[in-house]
């Protein structure tokens, strides 16, 4: 994050990666809190907080929010590189740093707005626990929870599949372009300055491709589980298949955390400026 800020956010690519690092770092923080809340040993802590319940609003939903943000930004970055390939002489005029920042802000805002119904349908409340003769801070839901949850599920499924499909499509284009450029470079005898420029462009495309490929690999299980939950009403956290549901999503969350955690390694290995 600091590296991209020092390099300057006046460049479109730096601004995009800066926004993605914010999303990745935030996702990791919320995921750590999520893991703590669901840890069986956390339930043994003498606390006034019911960690299993409060994690829904304080960890689970925010973590999914930043996962979705990362997906959107990755889709934008890959689309930008594809546009740079199609219109190499006009890309800097089309996607200026200011326009890129506006698009990134729009991505954050539109995803934040999708959280409003979720946080409207649930709220914190003190619940009396007879077995412990004390009250604990937990979560309660309004009567509109089922309707809001269904609409939000449709929206999340549609957006997740849409962005995932975009990333796969644009990454495929970049991979093909990389192969074409590699063949062209082996046959070309161009001047050194031109070759140096081509090399820099190739490295940028390669970096974006690697980052997108890792995201595809790490997000694929989550997308699959989202589709399964959409078509199978029993595949819910409170449904008959709750054990399978929790085990499967634990793996998906782990892969999401891996994607957010290895980003700086990918930047370091694929970018000479990092």
């Amino acid at each position: 994050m600091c590296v991209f800020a020092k390099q300057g956010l006046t460049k479109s690519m730096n601004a995009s990666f800066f926004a993605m690092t914010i999303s990745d770092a935030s996702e990791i923080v919320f995921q750590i809190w999520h893991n703590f809340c669901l840890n069986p040993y956390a339930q043994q802590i003498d606390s006034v907080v019911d960690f299993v319940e409060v994690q829904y609003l304080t960890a689970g939903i925010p973590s999914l929010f930043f996962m979705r943000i990362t997906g959107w930004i990755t889709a934008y970055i890959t689309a930008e590189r594809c546009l740079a390939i199609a219109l190499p002489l006009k890309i800097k005029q089309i996607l200026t740093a200011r326009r890129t920042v506006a698009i990134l802000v729009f991505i954050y805002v539109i995803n934040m707005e999708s959280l409003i119904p979720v946080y409207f349908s649930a709220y914190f409340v003190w619940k009396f626990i007879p077995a412990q003769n004390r009250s604990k801070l937990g979560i309660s839901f309004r009567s509109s929870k089922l309707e809001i949850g269904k609409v939000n599920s449709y929206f999340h499924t549609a957006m997740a599949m849409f962005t995932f499909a975009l990333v796969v499509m644009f990454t495929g284009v970049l991979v093909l372009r990389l192969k074409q450029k590699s063949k062209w470079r082996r046959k070309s005898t161009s001047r050194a300055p031109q070759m140096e420029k081509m090399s820099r462009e190739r490295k940028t495309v390669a970096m974006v491709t690697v980052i997108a490929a890792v995201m595809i690999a790490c997000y694929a299980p989550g997308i699959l589980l989202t589709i399964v939950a959409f078509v199978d009403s029993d595949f819910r956290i409170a449904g008959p298949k709750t054990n399978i549901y929790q085990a499967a999503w634990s793996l998906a969350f782990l892969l999401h955390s891996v994607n957010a955690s290895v980003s700086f390694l990918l930047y370091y290995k694929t970018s000479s400026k990092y």
Side-chain angles (χ1 to χ4, degrees):
M1 187 187 305
C2 296
V3 173
F4 293 119
K6 287 184 178 180
Q7 289 180 4
L9 301 181
T10 55
K11 293 184 178 180
S12 175
M13 187 61 66
N14 286 349
S16 298
F17 281 130
F18 179 78
M20 183 182 289
T21 54
I22 292 177
S23 176
D24 287 339
S26 301
E27 179 187 336
I28 292 173
V29 170
F30 281 110
Q31 193 57 47
I32 291 174
W33 171 240
H34 193 207
N35 293 338
F36 172 81
C37 290
L38 296 181
N39 191 317
Y41 291 103
Q43 311 311 312
Q44 301 177 14
I45 299 176
D46 186 17
S47 172
V48 295
V49 177
D50 188 331
F51 294 109
V52 174
E53 289 198 7
V54 300
Q55 62 81 25
Y56 176 74
L57 291 180
T58 63
I61 296 300
S63 182
L64 286 173
F65 164 74
F66 285 109
M67 289 177 193
R68 198 160 61 197
I69 289 290
T70 297
W72 275 94
I73 296 178
T74 304
Y76 171 73
I77 292 174
T78 52
E80 180 186 17
R81 284 299 90 196
C82 287
L83 191 60
I85 292 173
L87 302 170
L89 301 179
K90 297 182 179 180
I91 183 63
K92 290 185 178 180
Q93 288 75 34
I94 297 175
L95 291 178
T96 62
R98 181 171 295 181
R99 289 176 181 173
T100 294
V101 171
I103 292 172
L104 295 172
V105 171
F106 173 77
I107 289 174
Y108 269 87
V109 171
I110 197 67
N111 279 278
M112 284 181 180
E113 289 182 350
S114 69
L115 298 181
I116 294 176
V118 177
Y119 282 93
F120 175 79
S121 64
Y123 57 94
F124 295 104
V125 65
W126 290 99
K127 294 183 177 181
F128 181 71
I129 312 298
Q132 301 179 13
N133 193 29
R134 64 185 301 185
S135 295
K136 282 192 171 186
L137 184 65
I139 296 292
S140 187
F141 296 94
R142 293 184 171 86
S143 58
S144 57
K145 193 265 180 183
L146 291 178
E147 291 77 8
I148 292 177
K150 185 178 294 185
V151 173
N152 185 69
S153 177
Y154 290 156
F155 177 81
H156 174 72
T157 301
M159 290 297 98
M161 293 178 62
F162 178 68
T163 53
F164 187 78
L166 288 179
V167 173
V168 171
M169 180 179 66
F170 292 137
T171 303
V173 173
L174 292 177
V175 170
L176 292 176
R177 186 60 177 173
L178 269 178
K179 290 182 178 180
Q180 292 174 358
K181 284 194 173 185
S182 297
K183 293 179 180 179
W184 182 86
R185 288 184 65 211
R186 286 194 293 266
K187 298 178 181 179
S188 177
T189 56
S190 301
R191 297 176 182 177
Q194 293 177 334
M195 291 299 294
E196 183 179 353
K197 182 178 180 181
M198 290 289 294
S199 179
R200 288 198 303 268
E201 182 182 348
R202 187 183 67 84
K203 288 181 180 179
T204 301
V205 173
M207 178 176 65
V208 173
T209 303
V210 171
I211 293 172
V214 172
M215 196 217 81
I216 290 171
C218 292
Y219 275 45
I223 295 296
L224 179 61
L225 292 176
T226 301
I227 297 173
V228 172
F230 184 76
V231 299
D232 186 358
S233 59
D234 292 337
F235 192 69
R236 296 285 188 274
I237 191 168
K241 300 178 181 178
T242 179
N243 291 335
I244 299 176
Y245 179 91
Q246 294 190 51
W249 272 108
S250 294
L251 175 61
F253 275 118
L254 175 62
L255 292 175
H256 290 161
S257 299
V258 169
N259 176 74
S261 302
V262 302
S263 297
F264 77 97
L265 293 176
L266 299 178
Y267 298 142
Y268 180 78
K269 294 294 291 185
T270 57
S271 176
S272 58
K273 295 182 179 180
Y274 195 79

